[in-house]
């Protein structure tokens, strides 16, 4: 925690932090597109079986020219319980006797039908091409779509665990640059995937880098920011993610062919990889990992950029060692992921944070990967959800900084659960109300994620923060991978997935009371800081803050 003293000297929120964010935010806006890409590239359009007398261009006009396409469709495709053409079956032979029925419907179960053995005809009014239409992921193969979405989430999980450990060992910046390059290459190659197997493999590799790009970018700004400004900075970061949702909706509206859309959101990462060379490694991490010389160099550079002219002379190795003696002694021992569970306070925090993360992520992906459940205009929904989450996240900043981390997050989690549970009782034809309730849910879950991220960063020590983030991603991606799979439960009870989505955040809200409040407290740097559970008087902190501001 002594690093806060050094950060106050070089500037905890100045020109350097603004420039760092200017380099970080564009990549965050586009990376979120990759985690939600299957909303559009794997959209399921309207479809029906291919039938000979209607879709075969070689059939003579004299044979069926006197009959309209609607009549031919009626003769070839049975109707379902909603009197809509079946999507996955057709009559074995054209049922000509249906022409002589005057508005009465025969018993369709008495007529011979068969699966779509000759393929499907798709509605291309929304999308000219998706992976569903290209590889026929419908009917008996429809379960492959949620599996593909889950595979991306599994990739994010695996990447978070592996790269989280590597980030604590080799640095935030180096691993971030590797992930930017990996996403650029794998995302671009996905555009040219010849089959579903190659597509899944490349999307898995893309997933491995998505979450690390987000978390390491967050670390590179949060670990350079003073305690009083962390809430605002993380809110800006999450607003950038919401802007990314809006950008994806706009891009998907313009580029209706899935390969083009995939290419458009992948190529920019080559530019982000090149620009990332100007990012500055976390001095906090350098010092904690026993690299005080490099950490001191970065501190002097930050002081120069923030205009602290007289500070560089007073920053020296002796002063740094005196200020952070306890942290440097701790840095002599290399940490592993098992250190997260060896001490009681940190272990408790890890378990509770993982549970809350899982419970709050499940409804988010339950809504966001099922946009078609709320209506047909998924482009507009994506933009609306993005705009709404920006506004709600900004509104959450005031109670987050003035009321506290825990009560603010609990409030939003309760709203998430209630909005989803109420939506179950709204009829499908009341689309406006369904979209409003879904928007409230997605906005509140986004606000709760922002509050959670601020709270989590203030509970975990710097020396194992990336490793802990990897475990957080484990809970996050387990929920994200499970969310689309829960939709398979509709065969047992149509509302069952939504009951689970709604109850999870309501159950998680009271769990937050078991975690300490961290408003206006400095980041812990070592595991010992967490175990000592140092108490800082808020009265003293606010007094010190006033003195510093007045002096400045």
């Amino acid at each position: 925690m002594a690093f806060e003293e050094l950060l106050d000297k070089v500037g905890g929120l100045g020109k350097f932090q603004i420039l760092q964010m200017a380099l970080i935010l564009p990549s965050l806006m586009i990376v979120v597109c990759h985690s939600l890409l299957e909303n559009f590239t794997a959209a399921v359009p309207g479809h029906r079986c291919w039938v000979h007398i209607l879709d075969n261009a070689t059939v003579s006009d004299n044979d069926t020219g006197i009959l309209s396409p609607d009549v031919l469709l009626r003769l070839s495709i049975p109707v379902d319980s909603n009197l809509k053409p079946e999507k996955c079956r057709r009559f074995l032979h054209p049922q000509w006797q249906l022409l002589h029925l005057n508005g009465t419907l025969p018993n369709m179960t008495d007529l011979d039908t068969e699966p779509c053995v000759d393929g499907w005809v798709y509605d291309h009014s929304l999308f000219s091409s998706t992976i569903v239409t290209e590889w026929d992921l419908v009917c008996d193969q429809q379960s492959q779509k949620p599996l593909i979405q889950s595979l991306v989430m599994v990739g994010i999980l695996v990447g978070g665990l592996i790269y989280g450990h590597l980030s604590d060992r080799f640095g935030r910046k180096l691993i971030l640059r590797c992930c930017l390059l990996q996403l650029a290459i794998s995302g671009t190659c996905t555009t040219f995937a010849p089959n579903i197997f190659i597509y899944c493999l490349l999307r898995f590799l893309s997933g491995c880098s998505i979450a690390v790009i987000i978390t390491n970018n967050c670390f590179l700004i949060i670990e350079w920011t003073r305690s009083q400004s962390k809430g605002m900075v993380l809110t800006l970061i999450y607003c950038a993610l919401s802007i990314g949702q809006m950008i994806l909706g706009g891009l998907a509206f313009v580029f209706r062919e899935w390969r083009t859309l995939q290419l458009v959101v992948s190529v920019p990462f080559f530019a982000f990889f090149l620009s990332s060379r100007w990012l500055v490694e976390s001095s906090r991490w350098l010092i904690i990992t026993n690299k005080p010389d490099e950490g001191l160099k970065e501190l002097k550079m930050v002081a120069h950029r923030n205009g602290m002219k007289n500070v560089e002379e007073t920053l020296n190795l002796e002063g740094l060692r005196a200020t952070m003696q306890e942290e440097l002694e701790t840095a002599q021992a290399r940490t592993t992921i098992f250190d997260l569970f060896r001490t009681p306070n940190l272990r408790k925090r890890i378990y509770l944070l993982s549970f809350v993360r899982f419970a709050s992520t499940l409804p988010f992906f339950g809504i966001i990967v099922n946009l078609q459940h709320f209506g047909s205009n998924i482009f507009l929904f994506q933009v609306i959800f993005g705009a709404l989450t920006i506004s709600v996240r900004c509104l959450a900043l005031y109670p987050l900084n003035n009321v506290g981390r825990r009560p603010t997050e609990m409030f939003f989690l309760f709203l998430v659960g209630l909005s989803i549970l109420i939506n179950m009782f709204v009829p499908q034809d009341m689309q406006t109300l369904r979209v409003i309730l879904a928007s409230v849910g997605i906005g509140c879950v986004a606000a709760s994620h922002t509050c959670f991220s601020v709270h989590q960063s203030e509970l975990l020590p710097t020396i194992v923060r990336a490793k802990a983030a990897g475990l957080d991603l484990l809970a996050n991606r387990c929920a994200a991978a499970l969310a689309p799979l829960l939709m398979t439960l509709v065969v047992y009870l149509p509302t069952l997935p939504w009951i689970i989505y709604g109850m999870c955040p309501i159950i998680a809200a009271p769990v937050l009371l078991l975690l300490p409040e961290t408003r206006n407290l400095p980041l812990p740097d070592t595991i010992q800081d967490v175990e000592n559970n140092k108490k800082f008087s808020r009265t003293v902190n606010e007094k010190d803050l006033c003195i510093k501001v007045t002096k400045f």
Side-chain angles (χ1 to χ4, degrees):
M1 296 183 181
F3 185 81
E4 295 287 328
E5 300 177 22
L6 298 174
L7 195 57
D8 286 339
K9 292 180 180 180
V10 302
L13 188 65
K15 182 180 177 181
F16 163 76
Q17 283 80 4
I18 294 173
L19 292 174
Q20 189 95 328
M21 289 194 70
L23 291 171
I24 285 171
L25 294 183
S27 63
L28 292 177
M29 293 178 189
I30 305 300
V31 75
V32 73
C33 297
H34 276 270
S35 62
L36 303 175
L37 200 55
E38 269 75 23
N39 264 338
F40 303 97
T41 60
V44 182
H47 57 277
R48 61 169 175 81
C49 292
W50 186 95
V51 293
H52 180 74
I53 63 172
L54 186 59
D55 303 307
N56 191 350
T58 63
V59 174
S60 172
D61 290 338
N62 294 329
D63 295 337
T64 59
I66 60 174
L67 301 177
S68 68
D70 289 339
V71 172
L72 292 175
L73 185 63
R74 180 187 176 193
L75 302 178
S76 307
I77 304 291
V79 294
D80 58 20
S81 59
N82 297 318
L83 302 183
K84 299 291 185 181
E86 285 275 5
K87 295 181 178 181
C88 298
R89 297 195 70 82
R90 68 181 186 181
F91 289 127
L92 190 60
H93 304 289
Q95 302 299 310
W96 300 105
Q97 72 274 17
L98 297 179
L99 289 174
H100 307 293
L101 296 175
N102 296 323
T104 61
L105 293 175
N107 187 355
M108 292 296 178
T109 59
D110 295 335
L111 302 177
D112 293 332
T113 62
E114 63 180 354
C116 302
V117 293
D118 294 318
W120 290 262
V121 174
Y122 296 98
D123 178 8
H124 294 289
S125 59
L126 278 182
F127 299 97
S128 59
S129 173
T130 70
I131 65 171
V132 172
T133 63
E134 182 159 341
W135 293 309
D136 291 330
L137 305 181
V138 293
C139 298
D140 292 341
Q141 302 298 319
Q142 64 181 338
S143 62
Q144 290 195 33
K145 178 191 172 180
L147 286 176
I148 292 171
Q149 291 174 310
S150 295
L151 190 62
V152 176
M153 303 307 173
V154 171
I156 296 175
L157 185 155
V158 172
L161 288 174
I162 296 175
Y163 290 131
H165 173 74
L166 295 178
S167 295
D168 275 335
R169 183 169 182 180
F170 299 107
R172 283 71 162 112
K173 179 180 175 180
L174 175 63
I175 301 304
L176 171 63
R177 299 199 72 202
C178 292
C179 289
L180 288 170
L181 183 60
Q182 178 177 321
L183 183 56
I185 295 173
S186 60
T188 303
C189 290
T190 303
T191 305
F192 308 100
N195 54 58
I196 190 65
F197 175 78
I198 299 298
Y199 177 87
C200 290
L201 177 61
L202 291 171
R203 286 294 289 154
F204 175 82
L205 292 175
S206 295
C208 288
S209 54
I210 289 174
V212 184
I213 292 174
I214 296 175
T215 55
N216 280 23
N217 272 324
C218 290
F219 291 158
L220 285 177
I221 186 63
I222 287 300
E223 293 178 0
W224 276 114
T225 305
R226 65 185 184 185
S227 300
Q228 295 81 7
S229 302
K230 287 197 296 292
M232 180 189 68
V233 169
L234 271 173
T235 298
L236 288 175
I237 288 174
Y238 275 89
C239 284
L241 299 179
S242 297
I243 292 173
Q245 294 183 41
M246 299 173 64
I247 291 173
L248 177 60
L251 291 175
F253 181 79
V254 174
F255 303 103
R256 305 294 185 94
E257 203 275 329
W258 79 266
R259 293 183 186 271
T260 306
L261 179 61
Q262 176 75 43
L263 186 65
V264 166
V265 299
S266 299
V267 169
F269 283 92
F270 287 106
F272 297 146
F273 167 72
L274 295 176
S275 65
S276 64
R277 65 185 299 268
W278 288 293
L279 290 172
V280 179
E281 180 60 272
S282 167
S283 178
R284 187 190 295 264
W285 173 83
L286 288 169
I287 296 171
I288 292 300
T289 53
N290 203 27
K291 299 176 182 177
D293 293 331
E294 297 177 41
L296 185 63
K297 178 181 176 182
E298 303 292 12
L299 282 168
K300 290 182 177 180
M301 185 272 295
V302 171
H304 175 73
R305 288 191 183 178
N306 281 339
M308 303 292 187
K309 299 180 180 179
N310 299 325
V311 175
E312 293 185 47
E313 300 176 359
T314 61
L315 282 175
N316 53 61
L317 199 56
E318 291 74 17
L320 186 148
R321 291 185 184 278
T323 303
M324 301 193 67
Q325 181 179 359
E326 181 181 339
E327 286 80 0
L328 288 171
E329 290 175 357
T330 304
Q332 301 300 320
R334 179 173 293 178
T335 60
T336 68
I337 196 169
F338 300 106
D339 289 311
L340 296 172
F341 304 98
R342 283 181 179 147
T343 54
N345 283 345
L346 183 57
R347 180 169 60 244
K348 175 184 174 183
R349 292 185 183 186
I350 292 295
Y351 287 149
L352 295 178
L353 288 170
S354 297
F355 176 76
V356 174
R357 173 65 85 180
F358 178 90
S360 62
T361 300
L362 196 67
F364 175 79
F365 281 93
I367 297 174
I368 209 70
V369 302
N370 290 291
L371 291 183
Q372 286 183 308
H373 179 79
F374 302 101
S376 58
N377 197 340
I378 60 176
F379 309 107
L380 181 60
F381 293 166
Q382 188 73 63
V383 175
I384 289 175
F385 287 169
L388 184 67
T389 54
I390 291 175
S391 58
V392 176
R393 278 168 168 157
C394 291
L395 289 174
L397 185 59
Y398 179 80
L400 190 67
N401 287 336
N402 294 276
V403 179
R405 302 343 188 186
R406 292 185 305 181
T408 305
E409 190 177 355
M410 289 174 64
F411 172 73
F412 284 114
L413 285 175
F414 273 121
L415 285 184
V416 172
L418 288 176
S419 65
I420 293 175
L421 294 176
I422 293 173
N423 213 349
M424 292 192 308
F425 301 100
V426 179
Q428 287 286 344
D429 55 352
M430 299 180 65
Q431 286 297 315
T432 302
L433 182 56
R434 292 182 63 80
V435 171
I436 290 174
L437 288 171
S439 299
V440 170
I442 206 72
C444 290
V445 78
S448 71
H449 279 178
T450 302
C451 301
F452 179 88
S453 296
V454 175
H455 196 197
Q456 180 193 49
S457 68
E458 295 170 342
L459 287 170
L460 301 174
T462 302
I463 196 168
V464 291
R465 186 168 291 125
K467 293 184 180 69
L471 284 181
D472 174 67
L473 277 173
L474 177 61
N476 188 309
R477 292 307 116 180
C478 282
L482 181 61
L485 292 179
L486 284 178
M487 293 307 296
T488 60
L489 298 177
V490 296
V491 298
Y492 304 106
L493 180 65
T495 58
L496 184 56
W498 300 102
I499 292 174
I500 298 173
Y501 294 147
M503 289 304 300
C504 281
I506 292 177
I507 295 172
V511 174
L512 290 166
L513 295 174
L514 302 176
L515 291 168
E517 178 61 61
T518 58
R519 181 169 63 97
N520 289 339
L521 297 182
L523 291 177
D525 288 322
T526 66
I527 295 176
Q528 198 59 41
D529 287 339
V530 174
E531 294 310 308
N532 291 341
N533 202 22
K534 296 179 180 178
K535 301 293 183 181
F536 293 84
S537 169
R538 298 192 187 280
T539 304
V540 173
N541 276 344
E542 291 172 4
K543 180 180 177 181
D544 290 344
L545 178 59
C546 293
I547 291 173
K548 289 176 184 177
V549 172
T550 305
K551 184 179 178 180
F552 178 76

